[in-house]
Amino acid sequence: MAFSSYGAYWRQLREIFTTRLLSLRQIESFRHVRESETFAMVDGLFQNCKSAAAATPVNVSRLVGLLTNNMNCRMAFGRKFSEEEIDNRGFKDMIQEVFYLGGAFNVGDFIPWLQWMDLQRLVRRQKEAHKTFDAFIEKVIREHELHGDRDEFHADFVHELLALTRLDDDDEMKITRETVKAIIFDVLVGGSGTSTVALEWAMSEILLNPSIVKKIQEELDRVLGPQHKYVEESDLPQLEYLMAVVKESLRVHPPVPLLIPHECMDDCTIFGYDIPSKCRVIVNIWAINRDPTIWEKADVFKPERFVGNPIDVKGQNFEVLPFGSGRRGCPGQLLGFTVVELALANLLHCFDWRLPYGMNPNDLDMVEQFGLSTPRTQNLFAIPIPRQKVYALF
Ligand code: HEM
């Protein structure tokens, strides 16, 4: 869907996505999945803290990658999958590979007669990634075919997609097995990849700013009271500062900084420039989000700028556009935002976080990896220290 041109096929996919997976009702119905996965993540961290002799660094990037993938797989495919079920590199690295390849500058695209040489070996890597994802997605589909259509109450998204392939539509609108595979791919990459990147950057900024952690924890203590083991989704609307932290993180580190390439549909003139139809349009939201004429000290991470500010990240305000805007804007923004907020709230409600190996905040590598999405180049490691008042409740 993300890469298909505007037309009947895209409209159909978008409708399937928005009505069958990402409607308000569907998102709400999967709340228990998101909560149980998040709570299992913090339980696991508590267990580690109990058993480890000394405070051990946790690979936060991997942790949040697993979390978002488990959630998305359970919501869309009915169960979670172990890392090895996709590849020995695991989901996070495989998804990152797709993001890298999706944004890489391929010389052969611009000098076609060089294409066959595949000088940068990008095509070979694409084929390998395709093979890995295809085998995984085939497995998901075969499992669903084997278990047949369940009754309406239990049918998951993949069952519904497979049922659509049996409808007798005309050729253009026909949902084929290939279409189903493409949609599953979009869920994996579009859904898990972006939320993981958003979470690892939010945690990175938080580690750099202890005063922000303190403010988040004060808010959590005030809103939740003393007897809460976990933060539930129903608590999130009251956590105004936490919401501002997530927005600020999406402003400073938009997971898809150049959006997905757009295409001009008609000839038009913008600010005196003639733009021909079919022109590829790259929207630099990274630059928009950090525009110094809009944002004071634009490069500084300062969540307070979103407190009591009517400017939101949903695509209505062109000052900050982490989810794009308009017809091709992200259909998963409510789900993505909720996942990030819930995970962050629980990670900070249950733990204080320290940088490992005696590192100072200034030592933390904040370099982004180039690609369609911009994850951290280096995985983020940090030490979770249980917060005693929450720990005592377990
Ligand atoms: C924090 C999380 C997320 C961020 C930052 C994000 C960001 C984006 C961005 C920037 C775009 C391109 C918009 C444009 O080109 O104008 C996009 C498109 C898309 N996103 Fe997301 N996304 C997130 C979560 C999700 C989730 C959870 C799903 C689904 C499970 C999803 C599915 C998609 C799809 C299918 C498209 C293509 C839409 C189209 O072409 O019509 N995203 N997303």
Side-chain angles (χ1 to χ4, degrees):
M1 173 164 134
F3 285 101
S4 54
S5 300
Y6 178 70
Y9 178 73
W10 169 81
R11 268 200 305 276
Q12 192 186 22
L13 292 192
R14 179 105 186 175
E15 206 214 311
I16 292 174
F17 246 91
T18 45
T19 56
R20 291 169 195 264
L21 184 68
L22 298 171
S23 68
L24 260 177
R25 192 177 60 84
Q26 290 289 349
I27 293 178
E28 184 53 33
S29 75
F30 289 126
R31 181 176 159 165
H32 69 284
V33 171
R34 293 185 296 276
E35 289 183 341
S36 65
E37 286 302 324
T38 310
F39 302 162
M41 173 184 70
V42 290
D43 287 352
L45 287 175
F46 274 132
Q47 286 307 327
N48 277 356
C49 294
K50 258 190 211 158
S51 54
T56 330
V58 167
N59 184 341
V60 177
S61 303
R62 190 140 223 112
L63 183 80
V64 296
L66 262 177
L67 172 75
T68 59
N69 204 59
N70 284 346
M71 282 184 189
N72 278 333
C73 286
R74 276 183 68 190
M75 287 187 279
F77 317 146
R79 77 163 174 101
K80 53 187 173 188
F81 293 83
S82 68
E83 291 282 70
E84 301 74 43
E85 282 182 273
I86 180 138
D87 186 80
N88 55 15
R89 280 170 285 180
F91 283 97
K92 183 173 180 292
D93 287 359
M94 281 312 299
I95 291 171
Q96 233 167 64
E97 171 78 350
V98 172
F99 277 139
Y100 171 75
L101 293 167
F105 179 86
N106 184 6
V107 176
D109 287 348
F110 297 89
I111 312 175
W113 59 269
L114 284 179
Q115 222 163 45
W116 66 276
M117 285 196 251
D118 188 23
L119 290 171
Q120 301 143 281
R121 295 164 53 93
L122 293 173
V123 176
R124 175 195 275 218
R125 276 172 71 175
Q126 267 165 21
K127 285 184 178 160
E128 281 166 10
H130 172 265
K131 215 166 128 190
T132 307
F133 273 98
D134 196 59
F136 173 73
I137 294 170
E138 272 293 340
K139 177 190 171 116
V140 173
I141 293 181
R142 270 202 307 275
E143 262 188 28
H144 283 78
E145 284 171 338
L146 208 66
H147 292 118
D149 283 355
R150 308 222 195 121
D151 60 74
E152 204 188 313
F153 184 72
H154 285 109
D156 65 31
F157 185 52
V158 179
H159 283 119
E160 288 193 34
L161 292 175
L162 290 173
L164 292 177
T165 61
R166 292 189 286 276
L167 293 182
D168 212 9
D169 281 327
D170 61 55
D171 278 354
E172 196 195 359
M173 301 296 280
K174 178 100 187 118
I175 298 280
T176 63
R177 195 181 171 86
E178 290 305 299
T179 322
V180 173
K181 287 165 101 171
I183 294 176
I184 294 178
F185 182 75
D186 273 350
V187 172
L188 282 171
V189 178
S192 310
T194 46
S195 312
T196 303
V197 173
L199 260 169
E200 64 170 4
W201 280 118
M203 281 298 284
S204 309
E205 287 292 352
I206 282 169
L207 276 163
L208 290 181
N209 293 284
S211 64
I212 293 179
V213 177
K214 197 160 169 269
K215 272 188 158 180
I216 297 176
Q217 290 178 338
E218 275 168 10
E219 180 178 69
L220 284 163
D221 293 347
R222 195 177 60 248
V223 169
L224 300 179
Q227 287 305 320
H228 263 63
K229 275 165 96 172
Y230 308 109
V231 188
E232 294 168 13
E233 279 192 18
S234 54
D235 301 316
L236 297 179
Q238 299 172 71
L239 300 168
E240 194 192 359
Y241 187 72
L242 177 80
M243 204 183 292
V245 171
V246 177
K247 287 178 186 171
E248 177 68 345
S249 188
L250 289 169
R251 182 187 73 82
V252 180
H253 303 283
V256 193
L258 301 180
L259 299 184
I260 295 168
H262 284 238
E263 188 181 81
C264 195
M265 290 172 69
D266 296 306
D267 295 347
C268 60
T269 304
I270 298 175
F271 292 130
Y273 292 95
D274 293 328
I275 319 281
S277 75
K278 294 255 156 229
C279 182
R280 184 186 293 182
V281 180
I282 311 282
V283 183
N284 188 347
I285 58 155
W286 189 94
I288 293 174
N289 292 1
R290 291 181 183 233
D291 185 343
T293 63
I294 299 171
W295 301 104
E296 200 193 318
K297 295 194 179 152
D299 289 334
V300 176
F301 188 83
K302 194 170 156 230
E304 287 72 14
R305 63 175 99 238
F306 281 105
V307 177
N309 187 344
I311 293 180
D312 206 341
V313 293
K314 294 179 184 158
Q316 311 297 325
N317 304 104
F318 285 10
E319 292 88 345
V320 53
L321 293 167
F323 296 101
S325 180
R327 197 153 50 190
R328 295 304 288 255
C330 176
Q333 58 169 276
L334 176 62
L335 178 60
F337 198 92
T338 308
V339 165
V340 175
E341 247 190 317
L342 182 70
L344 215 53
N346 279 285
L347 288 171
L348 293 163
H349 174 58
C350 298
F351 302 95
D352 287 314
W353 292 85
R354 303 267 177 278
L355 285 169
Y357 319 120
M359 276 166 76
N360 289 317
N362 288 345
D363 301 331
L364 188 63
D365 187 345
M366 294 291 274
V367 178
E368 296 164 339
Q369 184 180 306
F370 177 78
L372 192 61
S373 180
T374 41
R376 295 177 51 82
T377 306
Q378 305 288 338
N379 281 335
L380 177 69
F381 282 86
I383 300 174
I385 319 271
R387 291 182 76 208
Q388 283 314 318
K389 61 176 126 186
V390 183
Y391 201 29
L393 302 172
F394 278 80

